Amino acid sequence: MMLHVVSNACFLLCVGCAYVNSYFLYPRIFLLSSHRLEGLREGSTTLSFWTYDFSISGFNSKLEAHMSLTKMQRPPHEDFSLKETKPHLGGGKVTGDKLTSTYDLVEQMQYLYVRVVKAKDLPGKDVSGSCDPYVEVRLGNYKGTTRHFEKKSNPEWNQVFAFSKDRIQASVLEVSVKDKDVVKDDFIGRVVFDMNEIPKRVPPDSPLAPQWYRLEDRKSEKAKGELMLAVWMGTQADEAFPEAWHSDAATVSGADGLANIRSKVYLSPKLWYLRVNVIEAQDLQPSDKGRYPEVYVKAILGNQALRTRVSMSKSINPMWNEDLMFVAAEPFEEPLILSVEDRVAPNKDEVLGRCGIPLQYVDRRLDHKPVNTRWFNLEKHIIVEGEKKKDMKFASKIHLRVCLEGGYHVLDESTHYSSDLRPTAKVLWKSSIGVLELGILNAQGLSPMKTKDGRATTDAYCVAKYGQKWVRTRTIIDSFSPKWNEQYTWEVYDPCTVVTIGVFDNGHLHGGDKNGRDSRIGKVRIRLSTLETDRVYTHSYPLLVLHPSGVKKMGEIHLAVRFTCSSLVNMMHLYSQPLLPKMHYIHPLTVSQLDSLRHQATQIVSMRLNRAEPPLRKEVVEYMLDVGSHMWSMRRSKANFFRIMGVMSGLVAVGKWFDSICNWKNPITTVLIHILFLILVMYPELILPTVFLYLFLIGVWYYRWRPRHPPHMDTRLSCADNAHPDELDEEFDTFPTSRPADIVRMRYDRLRSIAGRIQTVVGDLATQGERLQNLLSWRDPRATALFVIFCLISASVLYVTPFQVVALLGGFYVLRHPRFRYKLPSVPINFFRRLPARTDCML
C-alpha cells in the first residue's frame, strides 16, 4: 500500500515537472526558433558552408548553417497580410450562427430583369407587309438590343437583359420595337414601364409569367402590334442571371465577346491510366535475313509516345515484359497505335508491323488482379511502285496485356495541394463527407493590366477549381474594384484537400487578338482541413504575383468560405486511411512515371477545357494546376532550406536547453531534472504516461493560440520579399535557357559551388555511416578488437548489474557538474573518429 502511494506521488511530481517544462521550455524554444529564422532571412542569402559534429554517446547532433549575406535594398513595405471582414451576407438574414437565405455567402445585388419573348402582328414597311424587327431596351444611358430577323412579322427572341440597380439613373424603362434599315432604323412601337411599379421576385418563387403588351407610338397612342414581355426586380440568385445580357457589358460587342464574359461551370475530362504490358512478339520478318534484329516496340496515344528497350533476345521472337503507362481521357477519341521496329542503323529504323487498339474495347481493371493477355496481328505494309499498300499473307503477332487502370487517381495537380484524391472508377468512390461553399464577393485595388483608348483598364474574372469541377465568374468590364457576388458549391470527399481560386484579366474582349493571353492577377489556396466546420470565414486575401522585378501585390480578393460536415464520424475515420487509393501502394508508380503522367494529364485537361465554349484558356488552366512548379529556382530552394531550419530549430533549441541543464546554468532546474530522472528510472512504468500526458498538456496549453484564420500566401516564407534580381531572372528563364552565354556561365558556376558544398555534406554523412559499419568489419583490426573486447566486458557487467543501476549511473554521468567535465573530447568520440572509412578509396 505504501509503495502504491509513493508511486502515485512520484507520478504527480512527474506531471508537475512536465507542466512546468511545457510552460517555460516551449515558449523559449519557439522564440529562439523564430529569432534564428528571422536572422537568417535578413537580406539576400546564399548557402556558404556547413559544419557539423556527430557524437555516438547520444543522439546529439549540432548542425549549423553559416550564410554569406549579400545586402540589398528592401522594397517599400506593402500590406501582404490577411484581413478579416464582416460583409452583409445574404441580405442580413441570419438565424443564430447560420445564414438562411438562398445566396447566403454573398452580398445581395439587385437587378432589373427584362425578358423579351416574342412579338406579333408587327406592321411592314414594304410591299410584302413584312419587316426586319429587333427590340431595343433602354434605361437611362444604358441600351441593349436583341438580334434582328429578316422579313418576319411574328419574331421570337426569348432574350433576357439585366440592369444593375446601383447604376440605374432613370425612372422609366422603355422597350422599343424597331425595323432594321440600311440608312436609318424605323420606329414601330414601344412599351414604357414606371420603375416604381415593377414587381419584385425572390427565388425560389416561380418565374414571372410574360404578358402581352400593346405597342404605343411616340405620342403614347396605340400602335399596331404586340410585344410579350416579363419585367421584374430580382437578385443574382435568379435563374436568368447567368445567361442574361448585363448592362455592365454594354461596351462588349459581338456574340463571341458576350460569350467570353458570362459565368460558366466546367468539368474536367475523366482521366484514366492506360497500362500497356508488352510481353513478346512472334514470327517477325525483318528485311535483312542475314542479321539478328534489334527490335523494340513504340506506342503512341495522341501526343504521347513511349518505347520499350531493345529486346535482349536477338531473334524473330523477341521478349520484353515491360510496362508502358499513358493517360487517356473519356470520350476515347484516338486509338492506341503500336509499332514493332527494327534498328537497322544508328539513325534508321524499319517498321516490322503495326496494330491499332480502340480504347473503347480495352478491359478496365479496378484492383491488382491481372487482366487476360491477348495476341494482336501486326500489319506489315509493302509499297509497290506507288500503288496501294498490300497486306502480306503471313501476319506476325504481338502479345500484350492492355488495361485501363480504374484503381488509381490520375494526378493532374501537385500532390501538395490536390483538390481530389478519388480513384478514377466511380464504383470505388466512397460517400461524401460534406459540402464546400464558396462565395466570391469582390476584389479591391486591382492593378491595371492593359490600356484601352489611351487609359489603363482591367477586365477581371475569377476561376475556382476543386475536384473535377471548375467555375468561372462573369467578367466585370473596366473596373479595378469588381463585384461578382457569385456562390458555388462542391461535394467534399476528403478534408485534406485544397480549393484554388485565381483572378485573371480577360484579354479577348473589344475585338482583341484571338491568340492573346489572359493575364494572371493572383491566386489563393485554402486547405479544407484548416477550416472549422459550419463556420463562415470572410477574409480579404492579398493577390500576390512574382515578377522578374520582385513580388507585387496586384490587389485583394474578398471571399466567404464555409465547410459543412455531414458525418463527423466518417470524416474522423478518413484520417486513418491512406491519402491516395490503394493501388498507389500495392503497385506504386515510380517518381519519373508520376512526373511524366502528370505532365500529360495537365496537357489533356488544358486542351479539353480550351475546346469548351466559351473556352477556359490554356494559360489559365496551367496557372491553376501549377504547371512548371518543379523547375529549378534558387528562391524556392532557399525557402525550402529555411523550412528545414524551422523544423530543426526546435530540436536545436531542445539540445541547447539540455546542454544548459548539463552545465548547471540554472541549478534549480537541474536539480528538478535529476529528481525527475531518478523517479522515472525507479518507476519505469511512468515513462510513457508522463510523455503522453506531457504532450496532452502542451496541446491544451496552445489551444488558446490556435489559428483562427485560413493560411494564405506568405512572402517571407517564400523568400519572395528579398529575392535577388538575378535569382528571379533565372526563375523566369525559359527551358532550355534563352539568356546570353556569360550569364548562363555565371549561374552554372554558382550552381556548381552550391552543389559542391552539398556534395561535401553528403560525403561526410557517408563517412560517419561507414565508420559505424567498420566497428565490426575488421577493416582496422586493432579498433575492431578493442570494440569486441569492450562488448564482451559490457555484456558481463550488464548481466550482473540491474538495469536501473546502469541507467542511474549513466544519467548522473551525463548530468554531472561542470567541475567534473573536461574540454577535451570524450573517449568514445575519439575512438569513433579514428575508425576508417571508404574515403581512402575515392578517386
Side-chain angles (χ1 to χ4, degrees):
M1 183 66 180
M2 183 60 67
L3 182 61
H4 183 68
V5 172
V6 172
S7 176
N8 288 337
C10 295
F11 181 72
L12 292 176
L13 180 60
C14 293
V15 172
C17 291
Y19 188 78
V20 169
N21 285 328
S22 68
Y23 184 79
F24 289 104
L25 168 62
Y26 269 78
R28 293 178 182 176
I29 291 175
F30 292 138
L31 284 175
L32 177 60
S33 304
S34 62
H35 288 323
R36 283 177 61 93
L37 290 180
E38 291 297 328
L40 286 174
R41 287 187 177 131
E42 289 296 327
S44 177
T45 55
T46 53
L47 185 62
S48 177
F49 59 90
W50 301 65
T51 59
Y52 48 87
D53 182 20
F54 290 89
S55 173
I56 64 170
S57 60
F59 295 100
N60 299 328
S61 65
K62 181 182 178 183
L63 180 60
E64 297 182 357
H66 299 274
M67 315 297 293
S68 61
L69 303 180
T70 305
K71 298 297 182 180
M72 61 177 294
Q73 186 68 28
R74 275 182 176 273
H77 179 267
E78 291 190 64
D79 187 10
F80 296 152
S81 61
L82 187 70
K83 301 174 185 176
E84 187 172 8
T85 59
K86 294 183 179 179
H88 196 65
L89 299 182
K93 300 177 182 180
V94 182
T95 302
D97 293 333
K98 292 191 177 182
L99 303 166
T100 57
S101 65
T102 305
Y103 256 44
D104 58 356
L105 290 186
V106 293
E107 297 176 319
Q108 282 191 358
M109 301 177 67
Q110 299 292 328
Y111 285 89
L112 169 64
Y113 290 97
V114 181
R115 180 184 294 275
V116 180
V117 183
K118 57 185 177 180
K120 65 179 181 180
D121 301 332
L122 297 179
K125 301 297 182 180
D126 54 7
V127 179
S128 62
S130 60
C131 59
D132 302 334
Y134 71 93
V135 175
E136 179 183 282
V137 182
R138 182 182 292 274
L139 182 63
N141 295 327
Y142 294 101
K143 180 181 72 173
T145 58
T146 66
R147 63 189 184 278
H148 79 279
F149 292 95
E150 295 183 357
K151 309 299 181 182
K152 198 166 187 180
S153 299
N154 300 313
E156 293 187 10
W157 293 281
N158 196 24
Q159 190 169 344
V160 181
F161 298 86
F163 298 87
S164 176
K165 186 179 179 181
D166 296 338
R167 300 187 179 183
I168 293 179
Q169 298 178 352
S171 58
V172 174
L173 170 68
E174 181 180 328
V175 182
S176 305
V177 181
K178 296 186 177 182
D179 184 10
K180 189 77 173 177
D181 195 9
V182 178
V183 180
K184 183 180 180 181
D185 298 343
D186 297 325
F187 177 81
I188 298 177
R190 68 179 181 178
V191 180
V192 179
F193 295 89
D194 188 348
M195 293 295 298
N196 296 323
E197 297 180 0
I198 294 178
K200 293 184 178 181
R201 173 184 176 257
V202 179
D205 294 348
S206 299
L208 192 67
Q211 301 180 24
W212 286 105
Y213 293 87
R214 172 71 66 177
L215 296 179
E216 301 177 350
D217 57 15
R218 297 188 187 278
K219 298 180 180 179
S220 299
E221 295 179 359
K222 290 185 179 180
K224 186 178 180 181
E226 293 181 83
L227 182 63
M228 180 177 280
L229 297 172
V231 182
W232 72 95
M233 293 295 297
T235 66
Q236 74 270 34
D238 202 294
E239 63 272 5
F241 179 80
E243 298 298 329
W245 174 93
H246 290 267
S247 59
D248 300 337
T251 58
V252 179
S253 61
D256 293 340
L258 291 175
N260 275 321
I261 66 173
R262 288 174 175 162
S263 58
K264 288 293 181 181
V265 176
Y266 305 85
L267 291 178
S268 295
K270 189 174 183 180
L271 302 178
W272 295 76
Y273 282 150
L274 174 66
R275 186 186 296 271
V276 182
N277 180 224
V278 183
I279 303 175
E280 60 180 334
Q282 283 189 355
D283 303 327
L284 299 180
Q285 297 181 353
S287 57
D288 186 0
K289 305 294 184 180
R291 56 177 288 274
Y292 291 109
E294 299 181 5
V295 184
Y296 65 90
V297 177
K298 180 197 261 184
I300 300 175
L301 179 63
N303 296 327
Q304 309 171 63
L306 297 175
R307 48 168 289 179
T308 66
R309 66 186 187 279
V310 176
S311 175
M312 301 299 293
S313 55
K314 307 292 185 180
S315 66
I316 61 173
N317 299 320
M319 298 187 66
W320 295 278
N321 196 21
E322 187 173 342
D323 281 349
L324 304 178
M325 297 291 292
F326 298 89
V327 178
E330 291 186 358
F332 303 119
E333 300 174 347
E334 298 172 330
L336 173 67
I337 305 298
L338 291 167
S339 61
V340 181
E341 302 185 11
D342 180 19
R343 180 174 296 170
V344 296
N347 294 319
K348 182 180 179 181
D349 297 328
E350 178 190 1
V351 178
L352 303 181
R354 289 191 180 94
C355 70
I357 304 175
L359 299 186
Q360 294 89 336
Y361 309 109
V362 171
D363 295 333
R364 303 188 179 189
R365 186 171 73 161
L366 305 181
D367 52 20
H368 62 282
K369 297 178 181 178
V371 298
N372 294 328
T373 61
R374 292 178 58 187
W375 288 92
F376 295 88
N377 290 332
L378 293 174
E379 301 175 358
K380 184 173 181 181
H381 302 285
I382 300 177
I383 300 178
V384 181
E385 297 179 358
E387 297 179 359
K388 188 178 179 181
K389 297 179 179 179
K390 185 174 67 176
D391 294 336
M392 294 185 67
K393 297 181 180 180
F394 184 80
S396 305
K397 293 181 180 293
I398 186 170
H399 194 194
L400 303 173
R401 179 182 284 112
V402 186
C403 65
L404 290 166
E405 298 280 6
Y408 290 90
H409 169 69
V410 179
L411 294 168
D412 58 346
E413 303 169 286
S414 173
T415 54
H416 299 296
Y417 23 81
S418 292
S419 62
D420 189 13
L421 301 170
R422 294 171 294 171
T424 300
K426 196 170 183 178
V427 295
L428 300 179
W429 292 2
K430 297 180 181 179
S431 59
S432 63
I433 61 167
V435 174
L436 169 66
E437 298 167 275
L438 173 66
I440 304 175
L441 303 178
N442 54 65
Q444 296 291 333
L446 296 184
S447 298
M449 302 302 296
K450 57 180 177 285
T451 57
K452 177 191 173 186
D453 299 331
R455 62 183 182 86
T457 182
T458 297
D459 306 323
Y461 67 92
C462 287
V463 175
K465 198 265 182 188
Y466 184 79
Q468 295 181 346
K469 179 179 175 182
W470 300 66
V471 299
R472 169 179 172 164
T473 67
R474 69 191 189 282
T475 300
I476 305 300
I477 306 299
D478 192 14
S479 176
F480 299 130
S481 300
K483 293 183 179 180
W484 294 286
N485 284 304
E486 299 183 23
Q487 183 171 338
Y488 301 95
T489 60
W490 290 268
E491 282 190 306
V492 178
Y493 293 87
D494 195 307
C496 301
T497 47
V498 176
V499 59
T500 305
I501 305 99
V503 185
F504 302 88
D505 174 66
N506 198 328
H508 297 81
L509 306 179
H510 315 296
D513 184 8
K514 292 186 178 180
N515 296 324
R517 296 174 62 88
D518 288 354
S519 304
R520 60 185 68 171
I521 299 178
K523 181 169 56 178
V524 174
R525 299 191 197 100
I526 302 175
R527 184 171 292 275
L528 270 60
S529 59
T530 63
L531 304 178
E532 299 178 9
T533 55
D534 299 322
R535 176 189 167 187
V536 178
Y537 290 84
T538 54
H539 292 84
S540 184
Y541 296 81
L543 295 171
L544 306 176
V545 174
L546 193 64
H547 294 281
S549 58
V551 65
K552 183 180 179 182
K553 182 179 179 180
M554 307 293 288
E556 296 182 355
I557 182 171
H558 194 188
L559 303 175
V561 185
R562 178 171 58 204
F563 173 37
T564 305
C565 178
S566 59
S567 176
L568 182 62
V569 175
N570 290 341
M571 185 172 66
M572 294 300 185
H573 176 67
L574 281 176
Y575 279 87
S576 64
Q577 300 300 306
L579 194 64
L580 294 171
K582 64 179 183 180
M583 282 297 291
H584 286 270
Y585 306 97
I586 298 176
H587 288 295
L589 303 174
T590 64
V591 176
S592 59
Q593 279 182 320
L594 288 175
D595 289 342
S596 174
L597 292 173
R598 187 199 166 202
H599 173 72
Q600 298 299 335
T602 55
Q603 293 299 313
I604 292 175
V605 172
S606 62
M607 285 190 296
R608 288 289 181 93
L609 295 180
N610 195 38
R611 289 162 52 187
E613 188 61 40
L616 196 60
R617 308 289 173 180
K618 182 178 180 181
E619 62 271 16
V620 174
V621 176
E622 291 182 349
Y623 181 60
M624 296 290 289
L625 296 178
D626 282 285
V627 174
S629 60
H630 64 284
M631 298 298 292
W632 161 258
S633 166
M634 177 69 76
R635 175 193 59 83
R636 195 177 292 115
S637 300
K638 289 196 299 184
N640 291 331
F641 168 73
F642 287 133
R643 291 172 58 197
I644 295 176
M645 289 298 299
V647 172
M648 298 187 62
S649 59
L651 299 176
V652 172
V654 171
K656 290 191 173 183
W657 172 82
F658 185 73
D659 184 68
S660 66
I661 294 297
C662 295
N663 289 309
W664 290 71
K665 293 182 179 180
N666 190 335
I668 298 177
T669 306
T670 303
V671 171
L672 287 176
I673 294 300
H674 277 76
I675 298 173
L676 177 63
F677 174 72
L678 180 62
I679 295 171
L680 293 179
V681 171
M682 298 302 297
Y683 300 96
E685 65 275 7
L686 298 178
I687 295 177
L688 290 179
T690 302
V691 171
F692 286 105
L693 184 60
Y694 184 40
L695 297 176
F696 167 77
L697 292 174
I698 294 173
V700 171
W701 180 262
Y702 281 100
Y703 179 77
R704 297 182 298 172
W705 296 288
R706 67 190 184 278
R708 302 295 296 173
H709 309 300
H712 66 286
M713 300 290 183
D714 191 343
T715 57
R716 180 62 62 86
L717 178 67
S718 305
C719 291
D721 55 347
N722 54 11
H724 195 277
D726 182 70
E727 296 174 1
L728 294 177
D729 182 72
E730 180 183 21
E731 185 170 348
F732 283 90
D733 190 9
T734 58
F735 187 87
T737 182
S738 58
R739 297 296 185 264
D742 54 342
I743 296 179
V744 175
R745 186 182 299 109
M746 181 270 293
R747 291 172 180 171
Y748 177 65
D749 291 340
R750 180 177 62 190
L751 188 61
R752 288 178 62 193
S753 176
I754 296 174
R757 294 162 195 148
I758 297 175
Q759 172 183 284
T760 303
V761 173
V762 174
D764 290 344
L765 288 173
T767 298
Q768 309 300 333
E770 290 170 352
R771 285 174 178 172
L772 193 63
Q773 290 179 340
N774 287 334
L775 281 172
L776 296 172
S777 67
W778 296 92
R779 179 74 272 181
D780 184 344
R782 288 166 293 278
T784 303
L786 288 173
F787 182 70
V788 169
I789 295 172
F790 169 76
C791 291
L792 178 61
I793 296 174
S794 299
S796 304
V797 172
L798 294 176
Y799 180 76
V800 299
T801 307
F803 174 75
Q804 293 174 331
V805 175
V806 176
L808 284 175
L809 293 177
F812 286 143
Y813 175 78
V814 173
L815 298 173
R816 67 191 183 277
H817 196 274
R819 183 179 301 175
F820 305 104
R821 296 179 182 273
Y822 300 97
K823 294 184 178 181
L824 296 178
S826 62
V827 173
I829 293 178
N830 294 332
F831 178 78
F832 183 76
R833 287 176 176 172
R834 291 178 176 274
L835 289 173
R838 303 189 67 183
T839 52
D840 306 334
C841 303
M842 294 285 293
L843 289 175

